[in-house]
Amino acid sequence: MLKLGTPPPVTTVLVVVNIVVFAYGILSNTQNAIISNYGFVPNSLFKDGNLPDSILRLFTSMFIHAGIAHIAFNLFALAYMGGFAERSIGKPKFIALYIIAGLGGALAHGIIATFILGNGYSVLIGASGAISGILGISAALGDIRGYYWLAIQVLYVFIGSVTSI
């Protein structure tokens, strides 16, 4: 008989929150409004100086996804690696890492979009920065699956880049 361990509570809550936000947007036909009202717009922070709204959007953007493939890829990675990281560093550090990595990833992307690519008015959504932080800590703590997932991400980005040309 297969015996499953106790699901990691913080990882489970994060997965459920992301699914609920996505499902609500799809089922209520408000997904586009959620993205435009709660996604992070880099120029709003870096060019327009709208700090309060930008801080809120930096946080909320981590829980919004554009489509099934986007949310599935992010949440599979979170479910795959989150339990190891959560058990290894503890719940409070896991939550802090998730939020700091998510904010840092969005800010880094926003800086590149605004100052290098010149498209800082595009809306940034998704949990990729937060999940990358979780994958990074998992790999740093010795879980080889973190390296495998990194290779999968690089391949995914490469294939996406090549097919969009």
Side-chain angles (χ1 to χ4, degrees), residues 8 10-11 77-95 97-98 130-131 133-139 141 143 145:
V10 176
T11 301
L78 178 58
Y80 184 64
M81 299 298 299
F84 175 81
E86 184 177 338
R87 285 186 289 277
S88 296
I89 64 174
K91 293 173 193 63
K93 287 181 184 174
F94 181 83
I95 294 167
L97 174 67
Y98 187 89
I131 293 167
I134 299 305
L135 296 175
I137 197 69
S138 295
L141 292 170
D143 190 338
R145 297 177 307 163

Side-chain angles (χ1 to χ4, degrees), residues 43 47 110-122:
N43 275 3
K47 299 262 179 168
I111 289 168
I112 291 167
T114 301
F115 299 109
I116 296 173
L117 301 176
N119 65 350
Y121 282 110
S122 59

Side-chain angles (χ1 to χ4, degrees), residues 22-111:
F22 182 73
Y24 174 78
I26 296 299
L27 295 174
S28 67
N29 202 26
T30 59
Q31 186 68 1
N32 290 335
I34 290 170
I35 290 170
S36 56
N37 291 327
Y38 296 101
F40 174 56
V41 180
N43 275 3
S44 179
L45 175 63
F46 299 120
K47 299 262 179 168
D48 303 337
N50 190 348
L51 188 61
D53 185 57
S54 294
I55 290 172
L56 173 66
R57 286 172 173 255
L58 273 167
F59 181 76
T60 57
S61 68
M62 290 189 284
F63 301 96
I64 304 169
H65 293 84
I68 294 291
H70 186 207
I71 193 168
F73 190 76
N74 275 327
L75 295 188
F76 180 73
L78 178 58
Y80 184 64
M81 299 298 299
F84 175 81
E86 184 177 338
R87 285 186 289 277
S88 296
I89 64 174
K91 293 173 193 63
K93 287 181 184 174
F94 181 83
I95 294 167
L97 174 67
Y98 187 89
I99 292 170
I100 291 168
L103 296 175
L107 285 171
H109 181 88
I111 289 168

